[in-house]
Amino acid sequence: MSPIVAHPDVRRMLMRMRSLTDAARAIAYSLAHAIDRQHDAGAGEAQVDWAQRAALLTPVAKAFATDVGFEVASLGVQVHGGMGYIEETGAARHLRDARIFQIYEGTNGIQAIDLVTRKLGLGDGLAFKALVDDLRSMIADAQAEDPSLAPACEPATAAIGELVFAANWLTRAASEGRQEDLLSGATAFLRLFAIAAGGALLLKAAGIEVDAPAAELRRASAHAFAVDELPHAAALRIAVIQGGRMLGPVTPSVLALMQES
């Protein structure tokens, strides 16, 4: 009898768990770095820039990390199969415990609203632009350091493009007072933001030259994220710009029917 890790679908789930965790951790580290630099910069323009970077990343780090925590815990139950659903392994307890973090400190929907209404426009949008420029530089540097990362760099670059498109669309919606469009696309935008940033950060980590096997694991994580998560960027961009269309038909009569059913 073969161990379950011999099955490709189990390996797929394990790599997804690893890459999602690594991406969430990388975003949290980036937020911590921005906070540290803000405190070290003293008064002046640099201090403002780092404070805005920290503010921009805060809702993304909170919401994405807690969403990922629940997704990874759910995958952990699936990896264990029937044994994961009972108390013996502890996997089910992790799943139950992880759920509350999406609610603590403001639900993740509130974090998404905060991102699109207050954080995206910081510094007249320059804080977002500076972060995007840094993410693009990370991808370019990773490919230059390690050409084997090229297959992961292409979808990462495409995801950044989708992020910028969605951000520009939301900024225009805000300026035109289209509040329904702005808020209905917020959650999809936060996820798009997180996977685009996460993909670039994982490539940055993968491009750092260190001894194996740590470097090999980081490269595997970056490639897994590129295959499993980054392709969702295009769909999330569509969800951002068409979120209002989904809510438009939800009239009072439809809401009444939903409550009855």
Side-chain angles (χ1 to χ4, degrees):
M1 182 180 294
S2 300
I4 62 171
V5 76
H7 297 282
D9 192 57
V10 172
R11 294 202 301 274
R12 177 194 64 81
M13 288 189 287
L14 292 173
M15 279 310 305
R16 184 159 190 255
M17 293 168 71
R18 177 73 196 206
S19 65
L20 283 171
T21 301
D22 285 347
R25 185 176 289 145
I27 292 171
Y29 284 157
S30 294
L31 170 58
H33 174 71
I35 293 171
D36 286 346
R37 293 297 300 271
Q38 172 192 345
H39 292 321
D40 294 341
E45 186 176 339
Q47 192 271 344
V48 173
D49 290 344
W50 284 113
Q52 290 179 346
R53 173 70 61 89
L56 181 62
L57 287 173
T58 294
V60 181
K62 190 274 179 186
F64 185 63
T66 54
D67 281 345
V68 160
F70 186 72
E71 290 172 33
V72 167
S74 181
L75 283 168
V77 173
Q78 190 72 18
V79 167
H80 282 83
M83 293 294 291
Y85 198 69
I86 61 177
E87 296 302 323
E88 184 176 339
T89 62
R93 178 176 60 82
H94 288 309
L95 179 62
R96 288 195 305 273
D97 290 348
R99 187 61 182 89
I100 189 60
F101 296 116
Q102 295 166 290
I103 300 170
Y104 278 151
E105 301 298 330
T107 66
N108 286 357
I110 298 298
Q111 298 296 330
I113 291 170
D114 178 51
L115 175 63
V116 301
T117 59
R118 298 175 56 207
K119 305 300 175 58
L120 187 58
L122 284 171
D124 292 327
L126 293 179
F128 176 75
K129 182 180 183 302
L131 177 59
V132 166
D133 289 343
D134 286 349
L135 295 174
R136 283 178 166 149
S137 294
M138 291 175 197
I139 298 169
D141 291 346
Q143 186 162 353
E145 288 287 335
D146 186 351
S148 72
L149 292 172
C153 290
E154 183 177 345
T157 300
I160 297 294
E162 302 287 9
L163 174 64
V164 171
F165 186 99
N168 290 338
W169 190 90
L170 288 171
T171 300
R172 187 164 59 253
S175 68
E176 295 172 358
R178 292 186 281 116
Q179 195 75 352
E180 186 87 354
D181 286 338
L182 182 67
L183 299 183
S184 62
T187 293
F189 180 73
L190 189 147
R191 183 74 180 205
L192 171 55
F193 195 135
I195 67 170
L201 289 164
L202 289 182
L203 285 166
K204 177 182 179 180
I208 298 173
E209 182 131 2
V210 296
D211 294 335
E216 184 178 358
L217 180 57
R218 285 204 299 270
R219 285 193 293 271
S221 184
H223 280 293
F225 197 83
V227 169
D228 206 47
E229 292 299 321
L230 290 178
H232 295 302
L236 286 165
R237 185 257 302 163
I238 294 172
V240 169
I241 65 178
Q242 295 193 2
R245 296 184 186 179
M246 179 187 74
L247 296 182
V250 185
T251 61
S253 59
V254 171
L255 285 174
L257 289 171
M258 290 169 60
Q259 292 170 349
E260 292 172 5
S261 59

